[in-house]
Amino acid sequence: MKTVNIKDIAKVAGVGVSTVSRVLNNQPDVKEETKKRVLQIIEELNYVPNNSARNLKRTKTNHIGIFVIGDFSTFFSEVIESLEKILSSNRYSVMLHFHQGMKNTIEAAIQFALEKKLVGLVFLGGHLKKNEEGYLKQLKIPVIFASTVIEEGVDFELFSSVTIDNYKAAYEGVTYLLENGHRRIGMISAGYGDDSVAEARFMAYRDALSDFKVTYDEKLVSGGNYTMASGYKAMEELLDEKVTAVFAIADTMAIGAMKAITDHGLKVPEDISVLGFDGLELGKYMTPSLTSIEQPTRYMGDQAGQILLEILREEVPQHIVLETKFVIGQTTQKI
Amino acid sequence: MKTVNIKDIAKVAGVGVSTVSRVLNNQPDVKEETKKRVLQIIEELNYVPNNSARNLKRTKTNHIGIFVIGDFSTFFSEVIESLEKILSSNRYSVMLHFHQGMKNTIEAAIQFALEKKLVGLVFLGGHLKKNEEGYLKQLKIPVIFASTVIEEGVDFELFSSVTIDNYKAAYEGVTYLLENGHRRIGMISAGYGDDSVAEARFMAYRDALSDFKVTYDEKLVSGGNYTMASGYKAMEELLDEKVTAVFAIADTMAIGAMKAITDHGLKVPEDISVLGFDGLELGKYMTPSLTSIEQPTRYMGDQAGQILLEILREEVPQHIVLETKFVIGQTTQKI
DNA sequence: AACGTTTCTGAAAACGATTGCAGAAAGGAC
DNA sequence: GTCCTTTCTGCAATCGTTTTCAGAAACGTT
């Protein structure tokens, strides 16, 4: 059974294909009467335009890619959901891709964009380095980075972004611990040299310590991979170091850390204070509730979508830095 | 700047377009030498085949849709991730769509499939009713339901599925509570008449009670919407009813319930035992750790992907019911 | 009634791939 | 060298749209 095409519609309606096409695309220059008749026949025959043909002729698609970098966290899933909603309600198709590992990220993204003939691309997470500018130019479509760390010096004309100030937010968090008397503060970080979100947060940790005249001790820093399990393990290592507080760069790891602490017979926050990052809903439902730095996930998805739609029309890159919110829960206390 | 196409390649290589096409599609009947030359030129000119043209000519795409029904939970995000990985590594493109609300679900899915010219469709969540069979036939592509409740009597030839036995799993959980001496068991359910996952679990609850000669009391059932916040609220209502245990049909709601219990000065499990459903990672990291019925989320995504790939080749529908695992944590105790 | 405008319409040429078919080139048998 | 296979190759039609361009139809003006 052949599917109906524009030609069939034209024949039945007794008009030319171009007229049908004009109706489909809501172009002017079609008599109201003709338009109505064509629309009715389209309805009757259950006609659905063939997107492949359309895209071929238009030499572009309506596909927007979401390229997810790194571990897929609860954090990302909220962003993706709000992104998809806003894009698809603007008649775009959303193609999803998870990139594993941190290597060749941008090459993989370009491959993805070219192959799928994307007209726009959203990066979720990861980092953008100065020496990757060239790739960005190669990719001649609007690109927006969400929750990505942008290295200094990258040409802001080449892309858009929706980010938070990781350094500032983390600095604020660690300072809070310091102000509350903590001096032996452990850190649960992530990534090995290539995870810049982790790096920015780490720098903030080091600088905050230094500003309080606390010597940085690398034994107090342990690495994870954003999972609860890794937070648990990292915390176990820190337990030997007699820390009084620990800063985990993700709520998931903070939760793992809390579990490790309790499992070893210690109490949060009496024995060890815990500070997370992300402000996930679930942190608020822990007992005790997690002190954390909250990122506006849904809002971030919305903004990324809005901006992408705008630059798809106007081509003027935008950069916005969203505010984080320091939420004091019950996992931190004065000593 | 025009993008290079198959014709350019042919011209440079000094062969016909059909030869290039044959090389691209790895067809036989091309001399090894010619093939090598063509491949080299493809490489040199950075040629990427135009998918729209391909799809048009082939009269089908390589797009597979993931249609997510209902609230996007942590649960779904794990399934989606493993699904995407397996599909894209088999050269399919994954299109994501979230359907809001429970109305017109299947119509929306058909629209989605036709418009994007999908060659396969994965439903995530929701339910499939007998009277929707017709729609299924209309949709002439392989369809697989994952974590969907299938109404009795639906023709199994029309689709594939990867599910768990919600009734059995919930029955086992509630029975455990009963065997531990609980008689006033509250339930935190969800959905209003249209959420069949919730319904199946509810039926199990009622039947288990009845099998232990406990009269069903509708005041002990409260509704939520799979969020932690809704679990919290639902639990508050149940607190007046002096329940000794509560069964929440999702871990997220169970976590909300635990918070409500603690916030009201009671303890889990001493005062109230809590049983969840899903077996999310985070439940294991709660203190006390959540007793729950574990679903194999990643495995479910894998299986759904595998099966879809198979039926894309062979057209023989498959139905598998995955095993759940009852995980006893620290939130339940004997009374 | 002839003409110029304006409004609307359809034929036909793309877009970039795949594929059936005819036929060229190469190899083998005599 | 001729003829028959076998192996390779290229032409041209086709998929279902969009869009240009020429021209038909409708209308008002004189």
Side-chain angles (χ1 to χ4, degrees):
Chain A
M1 198 189 68
K2 230 176 100 312
T3 49
V4 295
N5 60 20
I6 205 176
K7 231 163 154 180
D8 301 329
I9 304 289
K11 209 182 302 168
V12 177
V15 300
V17 289
S18 37
T19 301
V20 179
S21 174
R22 275 187 278 259
V23 170
L24 284 171
N25 295 286
N26 237 322
Q27 288 178 17
D29 292 352
V30 179
K31 218 199 301 179
E32 198 50 45
E33 187 198 318
T34 325
K35 187 173 174 177
K36 206 172 281 176
R37 184 154 41 98
V38 171
L39 281 175
Q40 191 190 333
I41 290 174
I42 285 177
E43 177 81 12
E44 272 171 23
L45 299 193
N46 246 316
Y47 166 77
V48 180
N50 181 319
N51 252 314
S52 305
R54 257 194 185 166
N55 294 336
L56 171 59
K57 186 60 218 194
R58 291 178 175 162
T59 64
K60 63 171 170 177
T61 66
N62 65 338
H63 303 333
I64 289 181
I66 301 185
F67 192 85
V68 184
I69 302 160
D71 300 290
F72 187 41
S73 54
T74 311
F75 171 68
F76 282 153
S77 68
E78 290 191 355
V79 181
I80 292 177
E81 189 183 9
S82 51
L83 247 175
E84 191 278 335
K85 282 181 181 165
I86 191 166
L87 294 178
S88 74
S89 65
N90 280 275
R91 326 221 92 252
Y92 283 101
S93 297
V94 173
M95 288 203 172
L96 186 64
H97 187 74
F98 295 98
H99 178 70
Q100 7 225 15
M102 302 297 281
K103 284 191 75 173
N104 303 328
T105 306
I106 202 149
E107 284 98 326
I110 289 183
Q111 168 90 358
F112 177 58
L114 289 180
E115 213 169 69
K116 317 294 193 209
K117 285 231 167 320
L118 303 178
V119 293
L121 182 57
V122 183
F123 279 87
L124 230 52
H127 55 85
L128 175 66
K129 293 198 185 140
K130 174 75 181 155
N131 64 20
E132 290 171 335
E133 269 188 352
Y135 290 113
L136 233 47
K137 279 184 205 140
Q138 202 181 122
L139 205 57
K140 281 177 295 284
I141 56 173
V143 170
I144 180 164
F145 291 86
S147 188
T148 303
V149 173
I150 319 281
E151 193 173 276
E152 224 155 314
V154 186
D155 183 355
F156 270 36
E157 289 301 311
L158 297 174
F159 63 98
S160 296
S161 66
V162 180
T163 54
I164 56 162
D165 188 336
N166 281 285
Y167 181 90
K168 184 177 142 206
Y171 187 91
E172 184 182 357
V174 177
T175 300
Y176 175 80
L177 294 176
L178 287 159
E179 284 171 353
N180 276 274
H182 294 280
R183 286 302 176 265
R184 273 192 89 69
I185 303 176
M187 169 157 193
I188 299 179
S189 188
Y192 290 90
D194 229 10
D195 179 344
S196 304
V197 171
E199 203 174 307
R201 296 178 191 172
F202 168 72
M203 301 295 255
Y205 161 79
R206 222 173 46 174
D207 292 353
L209 289 184
S210 151
D211 289 351
F212 273 72
K213 315 277 181 241
V214 177
T215 337
Y216 163 67
D217 179 353
E218 67 169 11
K219 287 205 300 295
L220 299 192
V221 178
S222 185
N225 62 0
Y226 294 101
T227 61
M228 298 188 192
S230 76
Y232 188 97
K233 232 175 119 243
M235 189 66 225
E236 281 188 317
E237 290 172 27
L238 293 180
L239 283 174
D240 300 333
E241 302 294 337
K242 304 266 176 254
V243 295
T244 64
V246 62
F247 167 43
I249 66 161
D251 281 355
T252 42
M253 292 196 289
I255 289 169
M258 282 169 70
K259 186 72 176 174
I261 294 169
T262 356
D263 278 2
H264 283 75
L266 299 174
K267 297 198 81 175
V268 177
E270 290 81 354
D271 298 309
I272 301 183
S273 286
V274 176
L275 168 63
F277 199 118
D278 281 347
L280 295 185
E281 192 196 13
L282 72 98
K284 305 195 172 87
Y285 284 90
M286 303 291 295
T287 303
S289 66
L290 184 61
T291 299
S292 183
I293 296 146
E294 185 175 323
Q295 299 199 53
T297 51
R298 290 187 187 276
Y299 188 60
M300 183 175 274
D302 271 359
Q303 286 297 304
Q306 293 283 10
I307 291 181
L308 190 57
L309 291 174
E310 280 172 35
I311 50 180
L312 242 17
R313 274 185 249 118
E314 308 183 20
E315 301 274 326
V316 184
Q318 296 184 40
H319 299 272
I320 66 178
V321 177
L322 301 179
E323 289 300 315
T324 53
K325 195 168 132 198
F326 187 60
V327 180
I328 299 177
Q330 307 161 332
T331 56
T332 44
Q333 69 166 33
K334 258 200 169 59
I335 59 166
Chain B
M1 196 190 72
K2 233 175 98 311
T3 50
V4 297
N5 59 22
I6 204 175
K7 231 165 155 179
D8 301 328
I9 304 290
K11 209 181 303 168
V12 177
V15 301
V17 288
S18 39
T19 302
V20 179
S21 173
R22 275 186 278 259
V23 170
L24 284 171
N25 295 287
N26 236 322
Q27 288 178 18
D29 292 350
V30 179
K31 217 199 300 179
E32 199 51 44
E33 187 197 318
T34 325
K35 185 171 173 178
K36 206 172 281 175
R37 184 155 39 97
V38 170
L39 280 176
Q40 192 191 331
I41 290 174
I42 284 177
E43 178 81 14
E44 273 171 24
L45 299 194
N46 245 316
Y47 165 76
V48 180
N50 181 319
N51 252 310
S52 305
R54 256 194 186 166
N55 293 335
L56 171 59
K57 183 63 217 195
R58 290 178 175 160
T59 65
K60 63 171 170 175
T61 66
N62 64 338
H63 303 333
I64 288 180
I66 301 185
F67 193 85
V68 184
I69 301 161
D71 301 289
F72 186 42
S73 53
T74 310
F75 171 68
F76 282 152
S77 67
E78 290 191 355
V79 180
I80 292 177
E81 189 183 7
S82 52
L83 246 175
E84 192 278 336
K85 282 181 180 164
I86 193 167
L87 295 177
S88 73
S89 66
N90 280 274
R91 328 223 89 250
Y92 283 101
S93 297
V94 173
M95 289 205 172
L96 186 64
H97 187 73
F98 295 99
H99 179 70
Q100 5 225 19
M102 301 299 279
K103 284 190 77 173
N104 303 328
T105 305
I106 203 149
E107 284 100 327
I110 289 182
Q111 169 90 359
F112 177 58
L114 290 180
E115 215 168 67
K116 317 294 192 209
K117 286 235 165 321
L118 303 178
V119 293
L121 183 57
V122 183
F123 279 88
L124 230 52
H127 55 83
L128 175 66
K129 293 197 184 143
K130 175 75 180 154
N131 65 20
E132 290 172 336
E133 269 188 352
Y135 289 112
L136 232 48
K137 277 183 206 143
Q138 205 182 119
L139 205 57
K140 283 178 292 283
I141 56 172
V143 171
I144 181 163
F145 290 86
S147 188
T148 303
V149 172
I150 317 280
E151 194 174 277
E152 222 154 314
V154 185
D155 183 355
F156 270 36
E157 289 301 312
L158 297 174
F159 64 98
S160 296
S161 66
V162 181
T163 53
I164 57 162
D165 189 334
N166 281 286
Y167 181 90
K168 184 177 143 209
Y171 187 92
E172 184 183 356
V174 177
T175 300
Y176 174 79
L177 293 176
L178 287 159
E179 283 171 353
N180 277 273
H182 294 280
R183 286 302 175 267
R184 272 192 89 69
I185 303 177
M187 168 156 195
I188 298 178
S189 188
Y192 290 91
D194 227 10
D195 178 345
S196 304
V197 171
E199 202 174 308
R201 295 177 192 173
F202 168 72
M203 301 295 255
Y205 162 79
R206 221 173 49 174
D207 292 353
L209 289 184
S210 150
D211 289 351
F212 271 72
K213 315 276 182 245
V214 178
T215 337
Y216 164 67
D217 178 355
E218 67 169 11
K219 286 205 300 296
L220 299 191
V221 178
S222 186
N225 64 359
Y226 294 102
T227 61
M228 297 186 194
S230 75
Y232 189 96
K233 232 176 118 243
M235 189 66 224
E236 282 188 316
E237 290 172 25
L238 293 180
L239 283 174
D240 300 333
E241 302 294 337
K242 305 264 174 254
V243 296
T244 64
V246 62
F247 167 43
I249 65 163
D251 281 355
T252 43
M253 292 197 288
I255 288 168
M258 282 169 69
K259 187 71 176 172
I261 293 170
T262 355
D263 278 0
H264 284 75
L266 299 174
K267 296 198 81 175
V268 178
E270 291 80 354
D271 299 308
I272 301 181
S273 287
V274 176
L275 167 64
F277 199 118
D278 282 345
L280 296 186
E281 192 197 13
L282 73 100
K284 304 196 171 86
Y285 284 90
M286 301 292 294
T287 305
S289 67
L290 185 61
T291 298
S292 184
I293 295 145
E294 183 174 324
Q295 299 200 52
T297 52
R298 288 185 188 276
Y299 188 61
M300 184 176 274
D302 272 0
Q303 286 297 304
Q306 292 284 11
I307 291 181
L308 190 57
L309 290 174
E310 279 173 35
I311 49 180
L312 242 18
R313 273 184 249 117
E314 309 185 18
E315 301 273 326
V316 184
Q318 295 185 40
H319 298 271
I320 65 176
V321 176
L322 301 179
E323 288 300 316
T324 53
K325 194 169 132 199
F326 187 59
V327 180
I328 298 177
Q330 305 159 333
T331 57
T332 43
Q333 70 165 32
K334 260 201 167 63
I335 59 167

